[in-house]
Amino acid sequence: MSVKERKERDRAERERLIVATARELAEQQGWDAVTTRRLAERIEYSQPVLYSHFRGKREIIGAVALEGAVELAAAVRAAASTANSPRERVVALARAYLGFAEHNPAVYDALFQLDGGLAYAQEDTPEPLKDAFAALLESLAEVAGDGVQPGLFTEVFWAALHGLATLTRAGRLLPEDAEPRVELLVDRLAMV
C-alpha cells in the first residue's frame, strides 16, 4: 500500500469515526449535545482535525442523513421483499419506515427535520436520498391507481408516514394505535 493510499484510508476511517460518534451522541443526548468540541474530545482528535473533514455541525448532520438514507432504503426494501402481495408490501413498507423512525430518532431527524445542507427533490439531490425515495416508489408505484402519477402518490404516502412518525414520537398519538393507523393508511390511501 502506498503512502497516499494509507493516508486516504486513514482519512476515510477518521471521517467514519466522526460520523459514528456524532450519531451515537445524538441518539443518546439529542442533536443539541453534538458539538465539534464534544466530538473532538470523544474521538480524541483536535478540533482542527475534525474541521479538516467537516466544515461544521451542519455537514456532520448531512453525513449522518446520507448514512441514514442508505439504512432506511435497505430496511424498506428488506421488509417489502418478504411480502407476497401488493397490500402486504405496502404494509411491510409502512411498518419498516415507522420502525426506522422510532428506533433511530436522531438519524430520522438528520434526514427529515434538521438542516444538513442537502438538496431534496432537486437535480443535485445526493444519490442516497434519491435511492431512499426509490425504495418507497418501488412498492408504492404498483398501488398508485389508474391515472395517478406514481411519484406523486409516493410523496403523499411518504408525507402521511412522516406525519405519523413525527406525531407519534412527539407523544401526540397513542403508540398502541400504530397498527390500526397503518391498516387505515394502506386501506384508504393505497386502497389495496
Side-chain angles (χ1 to χ4, degrees):
M1 176 181 301
S2 72
V3 172
K4 181 181 177 187
E5 290 171 330
R6 190 181 81 246
K7 284 183 180 184
E8 288 174 5
R9 184 197 65 206
D10 291 347
R11 180 173 176 75
E13 190 173 309
R14 272 194 312 274
E15 193 166 297
R16 280 191 298 276
L17 178 62
I18 293 166
V19 172
T21 304
R23 182 176 175 165
E24 178 183 314
L25 186 57
E27 291 291 1
Q28 291 171 352
Q29 300 177 29
W31 278 104
D32 287 342
V34 179
T35 64
T36 54
R37 184 179 190 175
R38 271 199 176 140
L39 286 174
E41 288 172 3
R42 282 198 173 202
I43 64 173
E44 298 178 347
Y45 284 105
S46 67
Q47 282 182 290
V49 169
L50 195 138
Y51 282 115
S52 74
H53 291 273
F54 299 99
R55 285 181 276 183
K57 183 176 176 177
R58 182 179 187 221
E59 284 190 3
I60 294 168
I61 290 169
V64 170
L66 292 175
E67 190 175 90
V70 170
E71 294 169 12
L72 177 60
V76 166
R77 284 188 176 112
S81 72
T82 64
N84 296 317
S85 70
R87 184 181 193 290
E88 285 180 17
R89 269 188 291 288
V90 176
V91 169
L93 172 151
R95 288 178 182 150
Y97 184 97
L98 295 171
F100 181 88
E102 177 185 356
H103 299 295
N104 303 282
V107 175
Y108 191 83
D109 286 346
L111 266 166
F112 302 120
Q113 302 289 96
L114 301 173
D115 179 9
L118 303 173
Y120 285 78
Q122 298 174 23
E123 282 189 35
D124 61 340
T125 298
E127 284 305 314
L129 299 178
K130 289 179 182 179
D131 189 55
F133 184 79
L136 298 173
L137 181 63
E138 289 163 11
S139 291
L140 294 170
E142 68 181 322
V143 299
D146 293 337
V148 178
Q149 180 187 4
L152 187 60
F153 179 79
T154 300
E155 289 173 349
V156 171
F157 198 89
W158 171 32
L161 288 175
H162 176 69
L164 290 174
T166 303
L167 291 169
T168 300
R169 284 184 52 212
R172 305 298 196 274
L173 299 176
L174 296 173
E176 60 266 21
D177 290 335
E179 190 58 30
R181 281 188 207 101
V182 167
E183 295 292 329
L184 182 63
L185 180 63
V186 171
D187 290 341
R188 298 302 170 118
L189 188 59
M191 293 189 277
V192 287

